[in-house]
Amino acid sequence: MCSKITYRTGTGTFITGRGMDWNDLAANTELWVFPAGMQRDGGVGSSPVGWTSRFGSVVASFYGSASSDGMNTAGLVANILYLAESEYGEPSAGGRETISVGAWAQYYLDNFATVAEAVQATRDDPFSIVGPVLPNGRVALVHLSLSDSSGDCAVIEYLDGHPVIHHGPEYRVMTNSPVYDQQLALNAYWDLIGGHKMLPGTLSAADRFVRLSYNLKSSPEYEDRTMAVASVFSQMRAIGMPLGMEDPDHPPNVSTLWRAIADHDARRYYFESTVKPSVMWVDLDEVDLASGAQAMAVDVSRDGLAGEVSAEFRPREPFTFLA
C-alpha cells in the first residue's frame, strides 16, 4: 500500500507526490481545509495531547476520521503510509500523553513549519500513538513521511514503542514494508546493479521502492512548473496498482485509489481519484485559513470536479479522529 517521492525541480523547488493504495472503496476520502487557531486534541485515552493549530492546512481524509495526507500554509507536507511492522507500544507508557494515529499527520501540519522543527519535537518522544482497528478490519499500522519547501525530508517509524527517525534531504522515497533501514539496504544493492540494466518488477513494496528511486533520480529536473508537476504525476501513475487488483498473499499490495501531489513552493495541492478520473487542485491562497475561519470540505467523489476547486468547499464540522 502506498508510495511517495519528493522531486527536485530545475529551479530548486520541490514537489511531493504520493499514491494511496487500499482495498476498500468505502474509505470515504474528502478534501478538507482547516484554519489556524483550531483547538485540537489527540482524540484517544484519558490524557490526550492537546494543541492549538499554528498553521492552516489542506488534507485528504480517510474513513471520515483521519488526516492521511496534506500540506500546511508553511509548505510542510505529511504523508501517512502503511507499515505492518509498526509497534506503537502500550498507550500512555511512561505517563506520556496519547494521540490517535488518525491525528498524527494533522499534529505535524498544525504545529510545524519545517521538517527540522518537527523532527526535533519528535526526538523528545512526546506521546504514545494509538492505532485502532479500521472499518475494513485491519489495525491502523502506519509510518509517516515529512517534507518541506527546502527539500528536507524525514521518515518516522514507531518500532518497539518509540520513534525511529531518518532525517535528511536524501530520504526522498518511501513505500511500505520492510522497515526503512532494510529498504535502504535493498535499494543500495540494486543501485550497484544499475537500473538501466534491470529493475525488480513485482508488486512488493521493496520492489516499488527500487523502481521509484531509479525513476526519481533518472527524471529530468524540469524548470517549467507545469512540466515538473506532470513529471511527478507520471512517476506516481507508473508505480500505481490498477483498480480491482489485489495480491491475496500480501494484503498491502492492493489497488491505487487516489494520488496527491503537493507543490511546496506554490502552496498548491493536487488530487486525482482513480475512480473519478480528473485532476483537481487547491491553491492555499484561495481559501481562508486565518484563525477564526471555518473548517470546510468537498466530496471528491462528486462528478465534474476538475481544476482549481477552492470555490467548491462548504463549511463543515471537523471530523473526529479515529478512536
Side-chain angles (χ1 to χ4, degrees):
M1 167 196 159
C2 306
S3 306
K4 171 264 175 182
I5 61 171
T6 296
Y7 167 92
R8 178 185 171 92
T9 74
T11 59
T13 62
F14 292 87
I15 301 170
T16 291
R18 69 85 50 86
M20 169 62 82
D21 302 348
W22 198 242
N23 70 340
D24 187 1
L25 290 174
N28 190 32
T29 294
E30 297 178 297
L31 291 183
W32 288 78
V33 288
F34 293 129
M38 291 183 66
Q39 298 297 315
R40 299 279 208 176
D41 67 57
V44 290
S46 60
S47 183
V49 62
W51 68 92
T52 301
S53 59
R54 292 176 58 204
F55 304 99
S57 60
V58 55
V59 304
S61 65
F62 200 58
Y63 286 115
S65 54
S67 296
S68 61
D69 196 87
M71 176 171 61
N72 72 13
T73 50
L76 181 73
V77 170
N79 317 106
I80 291 285
L81 281 70
Y82 186 78
L83 182 68
E85 293 86 350
S86 296
E87 298 176 7
Y88 304 131
E90 291 298 318
S92 302
R96 288 176 296 163
E97 296 175 312
T98 52
I99 186 170
S100 165
V101 73
W104 192 21
Q106 194 67 54
Y107 173 83
Y108 287 108
L109 295 174
D110 285 352
N111 285 294
F112 303 108
T114 67
V115 171
E117 289 177 7
V119 165
Q120 182 57 46
T122 305
R123 292 196 190 282
D124 295 333
D125 201 1
F127 43 63
S128 295
I129 292 181
V130 179
V133 176
L134 297 171
N136 72 339
R138 294 184 188 168
V139 177
L141 299 173
V142 301
H143 54 175
L144 181 140
S145 168
L146 297 171
S147 50
D148 66 26
S149 58
S150 75
D152 197 11
C153 296
V155 173
I156 305 172
E157 300 176 331
Y158 269 74
L159 307 175
D160 296 322
H162 300 285
V164 175
I165 304 169
H166 296 266
H167 177 206
E170 66 270 31
Y171 301 120
R172 297 196 288 157
V173 175
M174 182 173 165
T175 56
N176 313 116
S177 299
V179 297
Y180 205 69
D181 275 333
Q182 295 176 35
Q183 289 282 25
L184 295 174
L186 289 167
N187 193 59
Y189 165 79
W190 283 100
D191 271 344
L192 292 174
I193 294 176
H196 60 288
K197 297 178 181 177
M198 181 174 60
L199 287 171
T202 76
L203 304 179
S204 75
D207 284 5
R208 284 187 281 114
F209 191 105
V210 172
R211 296 200 300 277
L212 278 170
S213 297
Y214 177 76
N215 292 342
L216 182 61
K217 72 180 181 183
S218 301
S219 174
E221 294 183 350
Y222 291 104
E223 293 186 6
D224 179 81
R225 190 181 296 275
T226 300
M227 287 297 294
V229 170
S231 176
V232 179
F233 262 118
S234 70
Q235 292 179 64
M236 300 318 300
R237 288 167 179 155
I239 207 69
M241 284 275 286
L243 279 174
M245 284 187 64
E246 186 168 355
D247 180 355
D249 296 325
H250 301 89
N253 299 331
V254 292
S255 303
T256 301
L257 299 186
W258 51 263
R259 302 175 185 93
I261 310 293
D263 187 331
H264 298 261
D265 180 65
R267 302 202 310 170
R268 178 176 288 174
Y269 187 81
Y270 297 85
F271 186 90
E272 178 187 56
S273 168
T274 58
V275 180
K276 297 280 188 176
S278 64
V279 176
M280 65 190 78
W281 62 86
V282 181
D283 287 325
L284 269 65
D285 292 334
E286 297 297 322
V287 289
D288 187 358
L289 296 174
S291 181
Q294 291 181 295
M296 298 191 294
V298 62
D299 182 356
V300 296
S301 67
R302 278 175 44 195
D303 290 328
L305 285 177
E308 210 286 324
V309 295
S310 60
E312 302 298 326
F313 283 82
R314 296 292 180 267
R316 293 266 294 277
E317 284 296 316
F319 55 78
T320 301
F321 294 120
L322 284 168

